[in-house]
Amino acid sequence: MTGGQDKKWRRMVVEKLTPKPDGVYLDIGTGTGDLAYEILEQQPEAWVIAADFTLEMMLIGKARARQDRILWVVADSENLPFKDCAFNGVVSGYLLRNVPSPERTLQEQARVLVSRGSVVSLDTTPPKKNLIYPLIWVYLHVVIPILGTIIAGNADAYTYLPDTTQKFLTAERLAEQHEKAGLQPVKFIRKMFGTMAIHWATKS
């Protein structure tokens, strides 16, 4: 659906994280562990906790490759089972759009983060209404569900994606949520015609 750009975005997320040797990092909402594996790709001497609410997805990710420096944990992003200041950095991919309270989730990420540690997130964001907005709308609401039906045989999942994207916080408002959680300064960049955003911030 992204033309392979999602792999590049994940690399950018971890580059913003700048993992250090023997640093301990949390990939929350890890799914099949794409970001967790990317952290070790860029810094093989780091340690990663890959956490998600869905055990089945983590089992798929764990089976991808034997990796002794990843620990897989079932966890609720709004009530993380980790002590304060446990991690040097936290990343997430397509998590914040899918939780009941992005504010609570970011507060928990700030709590488990060391002082001056980094939080980096990748998620969809409502595109701005400009000259190309009608084309973006057609791609989100028509093309993606059709491709989902043809490729995955599941139109509902690919209808959920554009619907939740349109209803989610704008990149600017999500930056405000980071600031309220004590993560600042907050920076972000948009990708894919403004439908994706990478946010990064530091625990103040």
Side-chain angles (χ1 to χ4, degrees):
M1 302 302 165
T2 68
Q5 292 298 301
D6 56 300
K7 295 179 181 178
K8 184 183 296 184
W9 301 334
R10 284 195 293 273
R11 285 198 299 271
M12 292 181 65
V13 166
V14 177
E15 286 168 0
K16 298 296 184 185
L17 182 70
T18 60
K20 303 295 190 297
D22 287 324
V24 183
Y25 299 93
L26 173 64
D27 174 16
I28 182 64
T30 189
T32 56
D34 288 336
L35 282 171
Y37 283 114
E38 181 62 32
I39 290 172
L40 293 177
E41 180 71 24
Q42 295 189 29
Q43 180 46 263
E45 300 304 313
W47 297 92
V48 184
I49 304 294
D52 200 288
F53 197 68
T54 307
L55 175 62
E56 291 80 2
M57 292 187 71
M58 289 195 295
L59 290 175
I60 294 171
K62 189 175 181 180
R64 286 169 48 185
R66 188 173 184 277
Q67 180 49 258
D68 295 335
R69 299 183 81 89
I70 298 179
L71 176 65
W72 302 81
V73 177
V74 175
D76 178 358
S77 67
E78 295 186 5
N79 293 281
L80 294 174
F82 308 114
K83 65 180 182 180
D84 296 356
C85 306
F87 298 98
N88 299 102
V90 181
V91 295
S92 66
Y94 305 109
L95 168 72
L96 296 172
R97 174 175 49 91
N98 292 300
V99 296
S101 174
E103 182 178 3
R104 171 64 181 169
T105 296
L106 288 167
Q107 288 172 348
E108 276 292 273
Q109 292 182 24
R111 179 183 66 79
V112 301
L113 195 63
V114 299
S115 179
R116 309 308 300 169
S118 297
V119 165
V120 191
S121 68
L122 166 65
D123 219 312
T124 59
T125 188
K128 289 186 174 183
K129 293 187 177 181
N130 51 28
L131 290 175
I132 65 170
Y133 178 82
L135 295 176
I136 295 172
W137 190 96
V138 170
Y139 182 75
L140 288 173
H141 294 275
V142 179
V143 176
I144 285 181
I146 290 174
L147 289 175
T149 302
I150 295 172
I151 297 171
N154 187 349
D156 290 343
Y158 292 93
T159 300
Y160 171 83
L161 171 63
D163 286 348
T164 53
T165 296
Q166 292 286 164
K167 296 174 183 177
F168 189 48
L169 300 171
T170 63
E172 289 83 2
R173 288 195 58 203
L174 187 57
E176 292 174 1
Q177 294 292 316
H178 281 72
E179 292 176 350
K180 288 180 180 179
L183 300 164
Q184 53 187 318
V186 186
K187 299 180 181 179
F188 64 86
I189 53 174
R190 290 184 174 88
K191 296 291 181 181
M192 200 172 178
F193 304 106
T195 60
M196 303 286 170
I198 297 173
H199 286 73
W200 65 97
T202 303
K203 182 176 179 179
S204 58

